[in-house]
């Protein structure tokens, strides 16, 4: 499924509908196609900077025709980018490092989510207070190849436990009735998954609290990556794309109510619409896009978090070891595109 850029959009702003003309100096035939993929399986509020930039014509202003495609998760999205099926991709830090270690030269040019988007929770009245208390117990996950699994394995190791011998992982739905039944039947004592899915659990009658170790909670979220050849061949194209995306982020954060309405009615209506947790999910998404105070230019990286994550990915044995060894983060991460995109960027009029 794709979302195509449109010349006109309807934005609910100030209580009235206004037609927004996508300004463009060039005709549509002159736009450069720039196709991307996300780890998301379909339209979701998590991609709001892309949607807003499309709706407001920010990409068109930069001479770009942007298409967003969806995938089966971070590993799939990384494979699509590495294979040359798309020009850019937004997926997890773990999948990025794994792809680079397998010999695919990717360049991460922008931090999209600052915190990791996964968490481990237990029922609020559970005797389990920390991950260390999970010895002899079972954690439910959405899939044994899911994006939460590297974080869960790191949490197990951080707590002095061993996967298999001390803690087991089983598939237990995606915050849906399967997850609820797994808790009620004591098949699982904790559940790990995307924070958006975790919002569904209290809505079905089980209040929860997080037991993710503090160190693990500092892992970085998804990043925007391109192939090295793209980065070297046309960095100015990447600056244009990043600048428009930053404007989409800034507009969405400045006008949260209007953006939520746009997402519900147009871009992510299937996942939001009448969803009872749509409001809390939108509030959660905004925290993904809120950088720590140490970040002076939104979109730049915090390499220390990546270093920490990389060290944990190398722990364990066999399939538990997500990385066989370190990757060169200095070569993989770069802030130069974001810094150039910010140069002279005026967001005051948004």
């Amino acid at each position: 499924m794709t979302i195509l850029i449109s010349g006109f959009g309807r934005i609910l702003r100030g209580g009235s509908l206004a037609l927004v003309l996508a300004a463009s100096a060039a005709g549509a035939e002159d736009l450069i196609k720039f196709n991307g993929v996300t780890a998301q399986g379909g339209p979701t509020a998590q991609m709001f900077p892309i949607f807003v930039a499309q709706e407001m014509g920010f990409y068109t202003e930069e001479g770009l025709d942007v298409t967003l495609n969806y995938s089966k998760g971070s590993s799939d999205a990384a494979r699509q980018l590495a294979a040359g099926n798309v020009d850019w991709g937004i997926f997890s830090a773990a999948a990025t490092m794994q792809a680079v270690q397998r010999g695919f030269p990717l360049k991460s040019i922008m931090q999209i989510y600052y915190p990791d988007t996964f968490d481990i929770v237990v029922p609020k009245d559970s005797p389990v207070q920390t991950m260390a208390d999970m010895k002899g117990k079972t954690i439910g996950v959405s899939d044994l190849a899911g994006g939460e699994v590297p974080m869960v394995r790191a949490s197990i190791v951080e707590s002095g436990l061993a996967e298999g011998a001390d803690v087991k992982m089983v598939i237990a739905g995606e915050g849906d009735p399967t997850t609820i039944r797994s808790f009620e039947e004591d098949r699982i004592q904790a559940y790990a998954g995307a924070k958006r899915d975790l919002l569904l659990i209290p809505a079905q009658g089980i209040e929860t609290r997080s037991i993710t170790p503090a160190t693990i909670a500092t892992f970085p979220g998804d990043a925007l990556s391109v192939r090295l050849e793209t980065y070297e061949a046309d960095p100015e194209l990447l600056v244009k794309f990043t600048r428009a995306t930053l404007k989409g982020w800034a507009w969405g954060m400045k006008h949260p109510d209007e953006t939520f309405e746009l997402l519900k009615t147009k871009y992510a209506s299937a996942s939001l619409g009448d969803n009872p947790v749509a409001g809390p999910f939108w509030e959660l998404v905004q925290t993904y896009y809120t950088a720590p105070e140490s970040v002076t230019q939104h979109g730049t990286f915090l390499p220390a978090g990546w270093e920490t994550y990389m060290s944990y990915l190398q722990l364990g044995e066999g399939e538990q070891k997500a990385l066989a060894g370190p990757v060169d983060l200095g070569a993989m991460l770069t802030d130069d595109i974001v810094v150039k995109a910010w140069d002279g960027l005026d967001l005051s009029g948004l």
Side-chain angles (χ1 to χ4, degrees):
M1 183 176 183
T2 60
I3 297 292
L4 297 177
I5 194 165
S6 58
F8 295 86
R10 290 184 179 272
I11 302 289
L12 186 63
R13 186 174 181 182
S16 62
L17 284 173
L19 285 176
V20 180
L21 175 63
S24 174
E29 68 277 4
D30 298 322
L31 298 177
I32 298 173
K33 293 186 179 299
F34 201 51
N35 301 329
V37 66
T38 170
Q40 307 303 315
T44 168
Q46 288 175 234
M47 291 294 100
F48 84 84
I50 306 294
F51 297 146
V52 170
Q54 290 176 322
E55 185 74 12
M56 301 297 290
F58 297 148
Y59 290 130
T60 305
E61 291 172 0
E62 297 287 355
L64 302 176
D65 179 2
V66 172
T67 302
L68 178 62
N69 299 279
Y70 304 98
S71 70
K72 297 178 181 179
S74 285
S75 295
D76 181 38
R79 283 193 295 269
Q80 290 192 40
L81 177 60
N85 297 334
V86 291
D87 303 305
W88 54 273
I90 295 175
F91 40 82
S92 72
T96 307
M97 289 186 274
Q98 288 167 336
V100 169
Q101 186 165 84
R102 290 169 185 153
F104 300 106
L106 302 185
K107 196 80 169 178
S108 296
I109 63 171
M110 183 181 183
Q111 188 74 61
I112 298 298
Y113 314 143
Y114 275 92
D116 195 8
T117 59
F118 299 103
D119 201 359
I120 306 171
V121 300
V122 296
K124 192 173 182 179
D125 59 359
S126 169
V128 174
Q129 298 299 314
T130 68
M131 270 298 295
D133 297 330
M134 284 298 295
K135 186 172 183 177
K137 299 183 178 357
T138 302
I139 300 176
V141 294
S142 65
D143 190 292
L144 293 177
E148 69 271 25
V149 171
M151 181 273 291
V152 173
R153 286 175 168 155
S155 297
I156 292 172
V157 172
E158 169 70 11
S159 302
L161 303 175
E163 182 185 347
D166 296 322
V167 184
K168 296 179 180 178
M169 281 192 286
V170 298
I171 297 174
E174 297 182 319
D176 51 29
T178 299
T179 307
I180 300 302
R181 285 196 301 271
S182 296
F183 270 125
E184 291 175 344
E185 296 170 1
D186 203 32
R187 181 168 169 262
I188 62 172
Q189 290 73 51
Y191 179 79
K195 292 176 182 177
R196 67 169 184 270
D197 294 336
L198 300 182
L199 289 173
L200 298 171
I201 299 176
Q204 297 172 83
I206 299 180
E207 294 296 323
T208 63
R209 53 183 168 79
S210 174
I211 60 167
T212 303
T215 300
I216 309 304
T218 66
F219 287 176
D222 291 9
L224 169 64
S225 297
V226 297
R227 291 184 300 281
L228 180 61
E229 63 191 65
T230 304
Y231 172 79
E232 293 178 339
D234 200 347
E236 184 55 34
L237 173 65
L238 300 181
V239 171
K240 292 178 179 180
F241 176 70
T242 302
R243 181 164 52 227
T245 303
L246 284 170
K247 290 172 73 174
W249 159 77
W251 197 99
M253 295 293 278
K254 186 176 181 180
H255 307 285
D257 293 341
E258 294 94 325
T259 302
F260 184 44
E261 187 66 23
L262 175 66
L263 293 169
K264 284 197 304 179
T265 58
K266 184 174 182 180
Y267 286 94
S269 58
S271 61
L272 295 177
D274 296 326
N275 190 325
V277 298
F281 177 47
W282 173 231
E283 293 177 2
L284 174 66
V285 167
Q286 292 173 75
T287 69
Y288 294 168
Y289 284 91
T290 302
E293 292 183 0
S294 60
V295 174
T296 58
Q297 290 184 308
H298 188 89
T300 54
F301 291 100
L302 293 171
W306 284 73
E307 289 280 358
T308 300
Y309 198 4
M310 183 174 67
S311 68
Y312 277 92
L313 292 176
Q314 296 172 69
L315 300 176
E317 299 294 335
E319 66 176 14
Q320 299 174 14
K321 194 172 184 177
L323 281 180
V327 298
D328 186 351
L329 293 178
M332 191 184 83
L333 305 177
T334 181
D335 285 333
D336 60 349
I337 299 298
V338 169
V339 170
K340 290 176 182 176
W342 273 108
D343 187 24
L345 180 59
D346 182 9
L347 302 177
S348 61
L350 294 181

